[in-house]
Amino acid sequence: MQLRCSDSACGQVLKRDYSAFSCPECGELLEISCNGFRPDAGMLRQLWSERRRSNDPLDRSGVWRFREFLPEYNREDVVTLQEGNTPLLSADRSAPYAGLTKLQFKHLGWNPTGSFKDLGMTVAITEARSRGAKVVACASTGNTAASMAAYAARAGIRARVYLPKGRLSRAKVAQSLDYGAEIVEIDGNFDQALSSMMSKQNSGEYFLNSINPFRIEGQKTVMFELMEQLDWRSSDYVVVPGGNLGNSSAFGKALKELRSAGLIDRVPRMVIVQAAGANPFVRTVAAGARALTTVANPSTCASAISIGSPRSWRKALSALSFTDGLALDVSDEEILAAKAVIGRDGIGCEPASATTLAGIKRLRQDGKMQADAHVVAVLTGHVLKDPDIILKVHDDLTAAKVEQ
Ligand code: F0G
């Protein structure tokens, strides 16, 4: 395992305990590389399947079960809440809503703290502990904060979270408080909260945003578990919401590794969906992707992805090009309509996750996706992550009926 620059043209290799997150040569984000690892695909599939029947805490985790592709740690140092092992669910009402015959939801909101962040956090907090970190920190629209707070509590490390004041779900703030995090409210949006945190040089905080490459390693395992659930036969598409673009980057990295290890023989096309009011990546791709087109004042009902300057945009771009993927945006109305349909499937999710279904519906309407394509939509957050928006939508509906 090596820590190196994610730009293959640069390829600068760094010491594993290097403390910054960008390459000292070219400024790009770093990544963990398992170059030269040539596993026996058949043996691994069998080993991972056997671990599902084990009671070993590492085997019970849907992240550490795939530890052959993760950084190595002493097993007693691993901080786990038995994350992962999330279901792949059929989408009986959502599929016809979007105009598909085969749609499935991979629901990462059914993780210990209710979002996909736990998958990366188990690795990142393990890394933090093995580095001797006393304080971990992140800027967050709520979910990273809650996840970091929970895993830091398990590890006995102080957690400090930088939150954009008044711009995130109260349920997420409550969660961070419950796990004992220290909250720093920032007057501004997520991008400003992240910059403010990062500018605090030498503050002794170990940063756990998705610029931290160890988080990406854990999030990567979503694709390993998904492909296993599909009996190692990839779907045609994987659809994911895009915010700071860590998750899309992690999925792209996973698909490259799965393919080069011979665990899958074709990759799904990745679709990244943003909210129209917070669509810097979609604009960047449309403009030819030579530089990031930022959005100064991102605004969307999907507060989790209200981000105007995503740090991992180049990694996400590489994921799109590797998978022949697509990026598109959807309006808040489309997001809330799709969210209600996911609710009617008995599944539910937070608004950011519903961008997936809204995006699929739009691609079908625009003739960019076949009706018989096999599509997996990744739901990233639990329905109870944002109860206020549900109540508001229902209050508005009731008020509209009274007026009629
Ligand atoms: N869905 C949910 C529910 C999220 O909380 C996030 C990001 C995303 C999608 C987008 O993922 O940033 O990897 O592209 N939430 C971050 C947070 C920003 O602070 O909780 P991404």
Side-chain angles (χ1 to χ4, degrees):
M1 193 226 77
Q2 261 181 355
L3 183 62
R4 67 164 192 207
C5 177
S6 61
D7 180 353
S8 52
C10 170
Q12 174 86 2
V13 176
L14 297 146
K15 286 218 180 94
R16 183 190 166 140
D17 61 356
Y18 185 68
S19 59
F21 297 106
S22 50
C23 174
E25 283 293 309
C26 72
E28 266 314 306
L29 290 179
L30 305 179
E31 68 175 15
I32 310 289
S33 151
C34 44
N35 242 353
F37 177 46
R38 298 273 169 274
D40 175 335
M43 191 275 285
L44 278 182
R45 284 179 189 156
Q46 198 185 331
L47 178 67
W48 293 339
S49 160
E50 280 163 11
R51 283 181 185 159
R52 277 190 179 276
R53 290 190 294 275
S54 154
N55 282 323
D56 176 330
L58 256 65
D59 293 347
R60 305 277 331 157
S61 159
V63 171
W64 297 101
R65 204 154 58 80
F66 301 104
R67 54 192 173 269
E68 284 70 21
F69 281 80
L70 297 177
E72 265 183 71
Y73 299 95
N74 294 328
R75 59 170 39 238
E76 57 279 9
D77 289 340
V78 171
V79 185
T80 175
L81 287 163
Q82 300 198 6
E83 50 291 314
N85 301 311
T86 53
L88 185 61
L89 301 159
S90 66
D92 302 345
R93 283 165 196 77
S94 300
Y97 173 79
L100 288 177
T101 49
K102 187 157 188 199
L103 171 65
Q104 289 172 297
F105 288 124
K106 173 78 178 150
H107 206 327
L108 307 182
W110 296 6
N111 263 298
T113 76
S115 87
F116 73 97
K117 306 289 182 179
D118 298 337
L119 305 165
M121 211 50 82
T122 179
V123 177
I125 288 281
T126 300
E127 177 65 23
R129 186 154 76 173
S130 77
R131 286 177 180 229
K134 299 281 179 286
V135 187
V136 288
C138 68
S140 178
T141 53
N143 283 329
T144 304
S147 179
M148 189 189 83
Y151 282 82
R154 296 285 293 181
I157 301 175
R158 278 173 63 196
R160 190 171 296 141
V161 301
Y162 294 78
L163 305 179
K165 193 174 176 182
R167 296 181 197 232
L168 70 162
S169 154
R170 290 185 309 156
K172 295 177 186 177
V173 181
Q175 229 185 332
S176 280
L177 286 170
D178 197 55
Y179 299 132
E182 180 189 328
I183 292 185
V184 182
E185 289 194 307
I186 302 289
D187 276 317
N189 58 33
F190 168 84
D191 304 293
Q192 289 153 342
L194 184 57
S195 300
S196 157
M197 180 192 79
M198 303 276 303
S199 67
K200 288 178 61 191
Q201 295 293 337
N202 303 321
S203 58
E205 294 173 348
Y206 182 55
F207 297 148
L208 292 188
N209 278 94
S210 56
I211 50 170
N212 184 316
F214 292 91
R215 262 198 51 202
I216 299 296
E217 291 308 289
Q219 279 174 216
K220 209 174 72 174
T221 58
V222 173
M223 287 296 111
F224 286 68
E225 187 172 279
L226 171 64
M227 292 304 155
E228 186 183 51
Q229 286 168 315
L230 295 172
D231 294 323
W232 304 104
R233 281 188 293 273
S234 174
S235 53
D236 298 312
Y237 291 87
V238 167
V239 185
V240 59
N244 214 15
L245 299 171
N247 215 19
S248 329
S249 304
F251 292 179
K253 185 170 193 283
L255 292 170
K256 284 180 201 166
E257 291 176 4
L258 286 163
R259 174 80 184 275
S260 84
L263 283 155
I264 51 173
D265 50 24
R266 79 183 176 104
V267 294
R269 296 184 73 185
M270 192 189 296
V271 179
I272 300 177
V273 192
Q274 295 198 299
N279 62 354
F281 188 64
V282 176
R283 290 182 193 217
T284 300
V285 172
R290 271 182 291 280
L292 178 66
T293 311
T294 57
V295 171
N297 295 307
S299 163
T300 167
C301 69
S303 58
I305 52 170
S306 189
I307 294 175
S309 181
R311 301 292 163 121
S312 296
W313 71 275
R314 277 194 208 276
K315 286 186 178 181
L317 200 62
S318 149
L320 272 203
S321 88
F322 178 69
T323 65
D324 187 24
L326 299 161
L328 77 156
D329 56 13
V330 289
S331 68
D332 281 5
E333 292 70 34
E334 288 171 284
I335 293 171
L336 291 177
K339 178 174 144 50
V341 180
I342 297 170
R344 295 298 180 283
D345 259 328
I347 294 173
C349 64
E350 69 166 283
S353 310
T355 55
T356 54
L357 183 62
I360 296 164
K361 186 175 172 68
R362 178 81 78 70
L363 288 174
R364 283 287 301 124
Q365 280 167 351
D366 293 349
K368 293 185 181 154
M369 187 185 267
Q370 298 288 107
D372 61 355
H374 176 192
V375 182
V376 174
V378 178
L379 302 181
T380 45
H382 194 276
V383 64
L384 288 177
K385 281 287 193 175
D386 196 347
D388 288 345
I389 196 126
I390 305 173
L391 297 172
K392 181 177 181 316
V393 167
H394 283 265
D395 283 352
D396 289 352
L397 280 176
T398 312
K401 271 190 200 142
V402 172
E403 269 173 31
Q404 271 171 15

